[in-house]
Structure formats: structure tokens, C-alpha cells
């Protein structure tokens, strides 16, 4: 009888855990905050002390997304031991062998902590590792433990797995919402570009024509000068508007990123020789990144390189796409660039990093400049 009572209490506790976690996940809209809150909640519900969540991107790079009560041995220098290096759970995840919740025999990070005397480990040595998944998509892993805990029962693992499924589904929901927002933003930009093109641009054109007509009708030299000035101004405004529209509405939507960059080059007066290898069947997200980076690279060529020629190579491989933008212009000394506050190169690198790609710059004074980005697809 007593045994049944105990079982029932356990059962109720488990259900309560699942309910509280589901509620937490349901109300969350931001990934980082959600993971932090849910980890806190989970640990207190299951009576464990320490936990952390790694998110892993498509190319296998991991980031520490949330952590609770890590021992000092893992938190020195801004949690350096948790942000770099390999460990068995990440390795297993990346090999596709982490399908279920498991007892990780020992934690390599903690082992290293002891071997290299990184500090107090608070007697934490082992942890359970649970993949965060939704359907076939894998987002990362959840690790939980407590001091002196070396083994997790199959019941504990089953509960953790159920919670991890909930977290995985919530991650997917938030990611979908983010994509939706991006699409909405892109549509809004396209609308704005269309409107600018159809209204302001046409008005500027009419203004230029009218001023031209008026100039023909007058013999007053002063008036002619003023009208010429108006013609030039409206021409300039139209050019600026055209560049602005281009920035807002990349026509790659219809023609692909290579053509779009070639056409953008035309707007800037830079010839772009294109070489494409492979089929450019890229996601809108990747195309947007290539487009923005290419655009800034061409802006830089026009502003700084003192040449009118450039080359654009795009190579699509099995799981990556590489883009080079090359000019044979001035080149520059990159080591002198630090602290100048210019944003172009920095934002190219940021955009690449954000989707787990690599960014490279080769340049030297008098030797031209080559920008290479490689993005996972
Ligand atoms: N293709 C290039 N050829 C020669 N110099 C370049 C080239 N690209 C960049 N540079 C040099 O690197 C500097 C930094 O470039 P970056 O794009 O970061 O800033 P910027 O173009 O000066 O300003 P912005 O923030 O508007 O982009 C430039 O000021 C220029 O001196
Ligand atoms: Mg720039």
C-alpha cells in the first residue's frame, strides 16, 4: 500500500514537472531567455544542482546557451572551459550518435579541470546528456548533474528526455517565428522599394523633364543657369534614389545573387566579371548574406580601390557556398584598420559569423583586395 502511495507521488511529481516546463516554454518568445528560465525551472523541479545547454549549429559549432551553478573550475575567464575545446557529449552529438538521453560516464571538461588544476569542481564529475530535438532536426544538448552524482536511473533519463523533447519543439517554434518575421521584413522592404521606385523616382524624372522644357523656353541666361542646376540636382537625386532602391530591394529575388551583384556594380560604375560553379539553389537567408556582403565589397571597391574592374566567383559545393570578390586596385594595410570605427568590413564578418561561416580578407598596399566568404548550406 505504502509502495503504491510512493509510486503515485512520483507519478504526480513527474506530471507536475512536465506541466510546469510546458507552461514556461509556451509563454516564451526569445530563445536565450527561454533556455535560461527553463533550465533553472527544470533543475529545481528534479532536485538537481547544475546544468547547461549547448546549442550546436549545422556545421557542428557549439555555443553555451544557458548554465546554472557551474563549478568554479568551469567558469574562469568568462566560462572559457565551456566555450572552447571538444568534449565527449559534443563529439557524440556531431557524430549523430546522441539519439537518446544517456549517462555520460565522465565529463571531459571536468576531467581536464582536474588534470590542469582549473579550480574547484564541487565534486561534480559526471552528467546526463540529452539531445534537444524536434522531429529530425537537432538543435543541441542539455546536460544536468549534481555533486557526487555518477549515475542516472532509466526513470530519470526518461523524464529528462520528455522535457528535452518539449524544449526542442519550443526551439523550433521560436526559430520558425523568427524566419516568419524576417520574411515579413523582406516583404515590407520590397514594398517600400516598389513604392519609392514608382512614386518618388517617377516624380524626379518628371521634374528633370519639366526643368529641361522650361530651359528651352527661356532666353534669360540667369534663368537657364538655375534650370540647369535643377536638372543636375534632380538627376543626382534620382541616382541616389536608384542606389537606395537597390539596397532595399535586391533583384536577386528574380535573378539570383550573382546577377544582382553584377547589376549593382553597374549602378556603382564597377564592372563585375562573374564566374559561377555549381547550381545556385540557395536559401533566401544565405542569398541575403551573400548579397549584403557582395554589396559592401563593391561599395568598398568603388570608394577605396581606385579601379573600375572586379571579379566575383561563386562556387557551390556539397554543403557550403564560397564567394570571392576580387579587385586589383589599391589594396590596403589591414593592420592599420583597428580602431578606425569603420563598419563595412566588420559587418561582413559579423554576417558570416552569425550563420557559422568563415570570412577571409587578403590585401596588401598596391596588391588589390580579395574577400572570401564560405557559408554552410
Ligand atoms: N577593396 C578595397 N580596396 C582598398 N581599400 C579598401 C578596400 N576595402 C576596404 N578598404 C579599406 O579598408 C577600410 C575599412 O573598410 P570598411 O568597409 O570597414 O569601412 P569604410 O568603407 O571606410 O566605411 P563604411 O563603414 O562606410 O563601410 C576603408 O576605409 C579602406 O581604407
Ligand atoms: Mg565600406
Amino acid at each position: 500500500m505504502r509502495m503504491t502511495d510512493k509510486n503515485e507521488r512520483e507519478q504526480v511529481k513527474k506530471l507536475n514537472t512536465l506541466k510546469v516546463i510546458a507552461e514556461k516554454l509556451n509563454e516564451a518568445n526569445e530563445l536565450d531567455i527561454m533556455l535560461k528560465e527553463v533550465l533553472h525551472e527544470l533543475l529545481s523541479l528534479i532536485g538537481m544542482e547544475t546544468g547547461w545547454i549547448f546549442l550546436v549549429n549545422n556545421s557542428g559549432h557549439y555555443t553555451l546557451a544557458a548554465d546554472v551553478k557551474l563549478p568554479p573550475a568551469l567558469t574562469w575567464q568568462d566560462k572559457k572551459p565551456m566555450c572552447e575545446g571538444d568534449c565527449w557529449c559534443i563529439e557524440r552529438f556531431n557524430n549523430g550518435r546522441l539519439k537518446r538521453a544517456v549517462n555520460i560516464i565522465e565529463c571531459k571538461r571536468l576531467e581536464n579541470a582536474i588534470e590542469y588544476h582549473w579550480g574547484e569542481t564541487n565534486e561534480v564529475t559526471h552528467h546526463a546528456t540529452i539531445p534537444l530535438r524536434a522531429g529530425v532536426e537537432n538543435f543541441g544538448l542539455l546536460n544536468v548533474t549534481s555533486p557526487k552524482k555518477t549515475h542516472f536511473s532509466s526513470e530519470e533519463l526518461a523524464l529528462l528526455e520528455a522535457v528535452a523533447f518539449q524544449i526542442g519543439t519550443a526551439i523550433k517554434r521560436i526559430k520558425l517565428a523568427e524566419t516568419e518575421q524576417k520574411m515579413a521584413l523582406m516583404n515590407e522592404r520590397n514594398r517600400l522599394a516598389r513604392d519609392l521606385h514608382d512614386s518618388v523616382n517617377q516624380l524626379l524624372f518628371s521634374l528633370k523633364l519639366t526643368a529641361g522644357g522650361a530651359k528651352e523656353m527661356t532666353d534669360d541666361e540667369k534663368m537657364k543657369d538655375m534650370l540647369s542646376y535643377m536638372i543636375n540636382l534632380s538627376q543626382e537625386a534620382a541616382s541616389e534614389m536608384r542606389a537606395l532602391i537597390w539596397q532595399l530591394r535586391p533583384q536577386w529575388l528574380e535573378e539570383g545573387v550573382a546577377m544582382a551583384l553584377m547589376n549593382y556594380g553597374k549602378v556603382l560604375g564597377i564592372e563585375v566579371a562573374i564566374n559561377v560553379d555549381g547550381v545556385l539553389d540557395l536559401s533566401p537567408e544565405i542569398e541575403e548574406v551573400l548579397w549584403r556582403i557582395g554589396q559592401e565589397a563593391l561599395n568598398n571597391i568603388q570608394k577605396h580601390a581606385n579601379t573600375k574592374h572586379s571579379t566575383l566567383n561563386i562556387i557551390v559545393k556539397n554543403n557550403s557556398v564560397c564567394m570571392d570578390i576580387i579587385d586589383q586596385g589599391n589594396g590596403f594595410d589591414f593592420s592599420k584598420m583597428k580602431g578606425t570605427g569603420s563598419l563595412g568590413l566588420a559587418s561582413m564578418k559579423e554576417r558570416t559569423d552569425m550563420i557559422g561561416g568563415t570570412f577571409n580578407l587578403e590585401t596588401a598596399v598596391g596588391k588589390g583586395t580579395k574577400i572570401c566568404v564560405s557559408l554552410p548550406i
Side-chain angles (χ1 to χ4, degrees):
M1 188 66 184
R2 260 200 232 130
M3 199 58 204
T4 324
D5 274 0
K6 191 174 168 234
N7 281 347
E8 270 177 15
R9 268 207 310 277
E10 287 289 309
Q11 235 24 50
V12 169
K13 212 174 129 192
K14 268 189 220 157
L15 278 176
N16 187 48
T17 304
L18 289 171
K19 175 175 168 283
V20 174
I21 295 291
E23 278 168 1
K24 257 274 148 322
L25 292 172
N26 200 35
E27 61 201 31
N29 288 315
E30 273 187 54
L31 191 58
D32 278 358
I33 299 174
M34 172 191 87
L35 294 175
K36 285 185 177 102
E37 287 187 358
V38 87
L39 183 61
H40 268 282
E41 198 71 60
L42 174 67
L43 291 172
S44 82
L45 285 165
I46 60 176
M48 283 195 206
E49 226 169 71
T50 300
W52 61 99
I53 292 176
F54 284 131
L55 290 181
V56 187
N57 71 11
N58 292 339
S59 37
H61 293 291
Y62 68 90
T63 43
L64 181 67
D67 61 271
V68 174
K69 270 210 179 167
L70 288 173
L74 297 180
T75 56
W76 55 275
Q77 267 195 17
D78 233 359
K79 303 176 189 162
K80 193 171 170 207
M82 301 300 282
C83 300
E84 47 189 62
D86 295 329
C87 64
W88 292 306
C89 52
I90 291 283
E91 211 175 285
R92 203 159 164 162
F93 179 90
N94 282 335
N95 287 341
R97 287 191 299 125
L98 190 66
K99 297 272 184 243
R100 310 205 61 112
V102 287
N103 278 295
I104 287 282
I105 315 299
E106 271 155 313
C107 172
K108 190 174 167 201
R109 288 173 209 275
L110 286 159
E111 269 195 5
N112 287 343
I114 294 166
E115 188 177 342
Y116 302 113
H117 308 290
W118 287 344
E120 186 52 59
T121 56
N122 292 352
E123 295 186 85
V124 174
T125 52
H126 297 58
H127 60 74
T129 291
I130 311 100
L132 297 174
R133 296 192 293 153
V136 289
E137 274 181 88
N138 297 306
F139 301 110
L141 42 92
L142 161 71
N143 288 343
V144 295
T145 186
S146 273
K148 295 187 188 159
K149 184 141 178 101
T150 54
H151 184 79
F152 294 79
S153 69
S154 53
E155 291 220 326
E156 281 175 320
L157 292 178
L159 178 63
L160 286 169
E161 212 164 66
V163 171
F165 269 126
Q166 289 182 328
I167 300 176
T169 309
I171 295 177
K172 168 126 184 168
R173 174 178 62 78
I174 289 181
K175 289 202 170 202
L176 280 177
E178 279 172 4
T179 314
E180 217 169 77
Q181 267 173 7
K182 275 191 207 149
M183 288 304 282
L185 188 69
M186 218 158 81
N187 288 338
E188 184 55 22
R189 273 204 200 140
N190 287 344
R191 189 193 61 76
L192 195 63
R194 245 187 347 259
D195 287 357
L196 282 176
H197 178 265
D198 296 349
S199 58
V200 185
N201 223 34
Q202 311 297 12
L203 283 176
L204 287 171
F205 188 62
S206 308
L207 187 67
K208 189 179 141 198
L209 284 186
T210 314
K215 192 178 150 189
E216 294 304 313
M217 286 164 67
T218 179
D219 294 324
D220 185 333
E221 283 307 314
K222 261 194 166 165
M223 186 64 91
K224 269 186 189 295
D225 282 351
M226 275 163 75
L227 287 165
S228 294
Y229 184 57
M230 262 178 81
I231 293 170
N232 286 342
L233 275 186
S234 47
Q235 175 66 48
E236 247 175 64
S239 306
E240 287 204 10
M241 183 61 70
R242 215 149 67 98
L244 190 67
I245 290 171
W246 261 95
Q247 296 205 8
L248 275 169
R249 182 166 199 257
Q251 286 186 351
W252 51 259
L253 285 179
E254 295 92 37
E255 297 182 66
V257 66
M259 282 307 280
L261 286 170
M262 190 178 87
N263 287 328
Y264 187 67
K266 275 188 200 150
V267 174
L268 298 176
I270 305 277
E271 180 218 348
V272 185
I274 302 182
N275 306 300
V276 176
D277 186 359
V279 184
L280 284 188
D281 184 17
L282 305 168
S283 70
E285 195 191 5
I286 297 281
E287 283 205 313
E288 163 111 35
V289 174
L290 291 179
W291 161 249
R292 296 287 163 204
I293 290 176
Q295 216 178 14
E296 174 55 20
L298 291 174
N299 285 345
N300 279 349
I301 293 174
Q302 196 234 16
K303 279 201 272 180
H304 313 295
N306 195 23
T307 172
K308 298 246 169 275
H309 305 281
S310 66
T311 305
L312 173 79
N313 301 323
I314 302 186
I315 301 166
V316 186
K317 297 178 191 155
N318 266 351
N319 42 23
S320 68
V321 54
C322 300
M323 177 173 83
D324 308 331
I325 303 127
I326 305 160
D327 72 74
Q328 306 293 340
N330 288 341
F332 62 105
D333 184 349
F334 183 63
S335 63
K336 293 194 180 140
M337 238 62 277
K338 279 210 173 114
T340 54
S342 47
L343 288 176
L345 293 172
S347 75
M348 287 193 222
K349 179 154 177 8
E350 258 167 41
R351 280 182 196 280
T352 317
D353 287 348
M354 248 161 30
I355 53 170
T358 53
F359 176 86
N360 264 306
L361 175 87
E362 287 169 31
T363 185
V365 177
K367 296 261 166 72
T369 301
K370 180 175 179 184
I371 284 185
C372 308
V373 288
S374 169
L375 309 176
I377 52 178

